[in-house]
Amino acid sequence: MNARQLVQGMLKAWPVDPRDRLPLPLWFSHDIEVATGGVSSHHFQAAGVEMDSRDVRPGDLFVALKGEAMDGHKFLPQAFAAGAVAAITDRPVDFPHVLVENTTAALHALAHAARERGNAKRIAVTGSVGKTGVKEAIFNALDRASRGGAHRSVRSYNNHVGVPLSLARLPARARYGVFEMGMNHAGEIAPLTDHVRPHVALITTIAPAHIENLGSMEAIADEKAQIFTGLVEGGAAIIPADSEYAGRLIDHARRLGVEVVTFGRNEAADVRLLDAIPAANGGSLVTAELGDARLCYTIAEPGEHWVANSLGVLAAVRAAGGDLAAAGLALAEMGGLKGRGARLQIAVSGGKALLVDESYNANPASMRATLRQLGQTPALRRIAVLGSMKELGDFADRFHRQLAEPLAEAKIDHAILVGDEMRALAAELGKDGAKSLGIAPSFAHCKGPAEAIAALEHFGLTHGDAVLVKGSNSVGLGGLVTHFTNASG
């Protein structure tokens, strides 16, 4: 057999995949017309879909959305200057465009067309804590196993605009799509899951985030459980077995007739933790049982909460038909996300200090988890910069005061408290009894990030310090993180 015959034989043996017949470009103008009922001014191919002119990249389709205070049509020149190939508009414009009656409805129609044109397994993730990190972990596991065939929501595109936008970006050839779903009020999850129609829906945990708007923990659980309403026939609901609301979530799922898979330490969990010990990299070495199999793997992310998260990741990957070995490798390689656990080494007096960036979000459960992890982090001194937890309503003072206990348990040496809601914790730490018993750290209370930067600089960071920065995003502690990382060069 000569070389030519050998090559021809290899080509004939190349596996045939129906996806190979699907288009490589994300969208053709004709397909957008069919999906939206619009009329295209030009023929074009789009490589991406974007709604913010500041984020447009060459080859993108720009969707000119209209809101109560903003109209995307005003930013068409900026979008095309950045490289947009066309726009979806509700009026004729002097740029390549697809003319529709309503641009928001057109985005939804495009999302649904993306969902239906391929056969990607779709996974939806929600929860009061940890949904972005879990979404990223599931994506990394499935992307590794499928050799780049996975897609996911970027950043925290988890609301009524972000979810359909992320779905509209789903390539026709994708094997998996992972979508994050968030909410602030009742009735917001159901429309999101109706867009995605997931094969797998995961709830990370139930905690008092947004309790100001929902009124009770039971109401939060009920709203999160709405993610199950969009599951396709034969879909799987992944539920945290250790939550005190697990029974409530299971009842929601069973009423819908979907498969229920639980995860956690609970002996009855379908994906059950057998053992977890600290790993050399600061994470954990975990052994889990999945009914008919056991898996031993390493988690790069530190903290007990990531041990629980990893079990949910395994449950979702298995339900989606993914590779568990690839999931274990992906968990071992994950690093913290900006604002959500990134561990940064910053230059300080005498050497280096660790700064843990949790500046994007905060609620009582995540505050306790990250303070517990700070207490387990080797350090000469432990400093906590804590911003107010928002959307707690009438519960705010109580939940902020209760942070005194995890601060004491973590043996925090100094706390900088930022925002009006943190006054309650400052008052708790300032009580004579707490001071005399030595269970309260030294602390400073600041109005905002600028004061907090000054307070931390006045306290002075030295080699061997570990600093946790955590608060609700609106407090603005991301600016403090940027200040100290930039200052360290």
Side-chain angles (χ1 to χ4, degrees), residues 302-380:
E304 293 180 13
H305 57 297
W306 258 107
V307 173
N309 286 346
S310 73
L311 301 174
V313 171
L314 294 182
V317 168
R318 190 178 215 194
D323 187 313
L324 290 176
L329 292 171
L331 287 164
E333 295 174 353
M334 274 198 70
L337 304 172
K338 179 181 179 181
R340 294 184 173 88
R343 299 169 73 83
L344 310 169
Q345 293 292 327
I346 60 174
V348 296
S349 175
K352 294 283 188 179
L354 171 67
L355 189 152
V356 181
D357 179 13
E358 286 272 1
S359 59
Y360 188 81
N361 203 1
N363 59 53
S366 64
M367 277 285 199
R368 285 179 174 270
T370 49
L371 285 169
R372 187 183 306 115
Q373 179 55 38
L374 181 61
Q376 297 170 355
T377 301
L380 297 179

Side-chain angles (χ1 to χ4, degrees), residues 76-307:
L76 286 168
Q78 292 92 323
F80 280 91
V85 294
I88 292 180
T89 67
D90 65 8
R91 67 203 69 165
V93 296
D94 293 329
F95 298 100
H97 63 280
V98 178
L99 181 64
V100 299
E101 290 187 8
N102 182 291
T103 55
T104 298
L107 176 61
H108 293 176
L110 201 63
H112 298 169
R115 181 189 70 203
E116 298 302 325
R117 66 180 173 177
N119 57 357
K121 286 288 184 69
R122 299 178 298 278
I123 300 93
V125 180
T126 194
S128 302
V129 183
K131 53 185 175 291
T132 300
V134 168
K135 176 257 297 181
E136 290 292 320
I138 295 171
F139 164 77
N140 287 335
L142 296 173
D143 199 53
R144 186 187 188 104
S146 62
R147 299 178 183 178
H151 167 81
R152 94 292 207 179
S153 312
V154 298
R155 291 179 278 187
S156 286
Y157 278 18
N158 62 17
N159 64 8
H160 65 288
V161 176
V163 170
L165 178 67
S166 298
L167 188 55
R169 293 170 169 174
L170 179 68
R173 295 190 179 196
R175 294 179 180 273
Y176 302 98
V178 191
F179 302 93
E180 179 181 337
M181 297 179 187
M183 60 87 181
N184 294 314
H185 298 82
E188 292 181 342
I189 291 288
L192 304 182
T193 191
D194 283 345
H195 284 309
V196 174
R197 298 288 290 149
H199 299 85
V200 180
L202 165 68
I203 295 177
T204 60
T205 190
I206 302 298
H210 314 301
I211 197 169
E212 175 184 18
N213 300 323
L214 284 105
S216 70
M217 293 294 291
E218 291 78 10
I220 293 172
D222 291 342
E223 176 61 19
K224 294 294 185 184
Q226 295 306 300
I227 196 171
F228 303 145
T229 62
L231 279 165
V232 300
E233 185 177 353
I238 314 295
I239 292 171
D242 301 328
S243 170
E244 64 179 296
Y245 304 98
R248 196 179 190 96
L249 298 175
I250 291 170
D251 287 345
H252 277 284
R254 285 183 174 159
R255 283 197 295 270
L256 294 166
V258 299
E259 179 187 1
V260 173
V261 179
T262 58
F263 67 92
R265 298 175 181 271
N266 191 298
E267 290 187 0
D270 298 304
V271 178
R272 181 165 68 95
L273 178 68
L274 296 180
D275 189 35
I277 60 175
N281 65 348
S284 302
L285 180 64
V286 179
T287 305
E289 185 174 68
L290 298 89
D292 59 346
R294 286 190 179 185
L295 186 66
C296 185
Y297 57 96
T298 299
I299 308 170
E301 295 280 8
E304 293 180 13
H305 57 297
W306 258 107
V307 173

Side-chain angles (χ1 to χ4, degrees), residues 358-364 366-367 371 384-390 392 399-400 403 415-423 425 444-449 452 468-478 480:
E358 286 272 1
S359 59
Y360 188 81
N361 203 1
N363 59 53
S366 64
M367 277 285 199
L371 285 169
V385 182
L386 305 181
S388 296
M389 301 179 289
K390 299 296 185 178
L392 295 177
F399 282 127
H400 283 84
L403 293 179
I416 295 175
L417 313 177
V418 189
D420 289 341
E421 291 88 344
M422 277 291 170
R423 292 184 186 279
L425 177 56
H445 180 251
C446 306
K447 291 182 179 179
L468 168 67
V469 181
K470 186 167 182 65
S472 291
N473 189 42
S474 61
V475 178
L477 292 182
L480 181 144

Side-chain angles (χ1 to χ4, degrees), residues 60-72:
D60 278 351
L61 170 71
F62 177 65
V63 185
L65 296 177
K66 289 174 63 177
E68 293 181 3
M70 195 66 67
D71 185 347

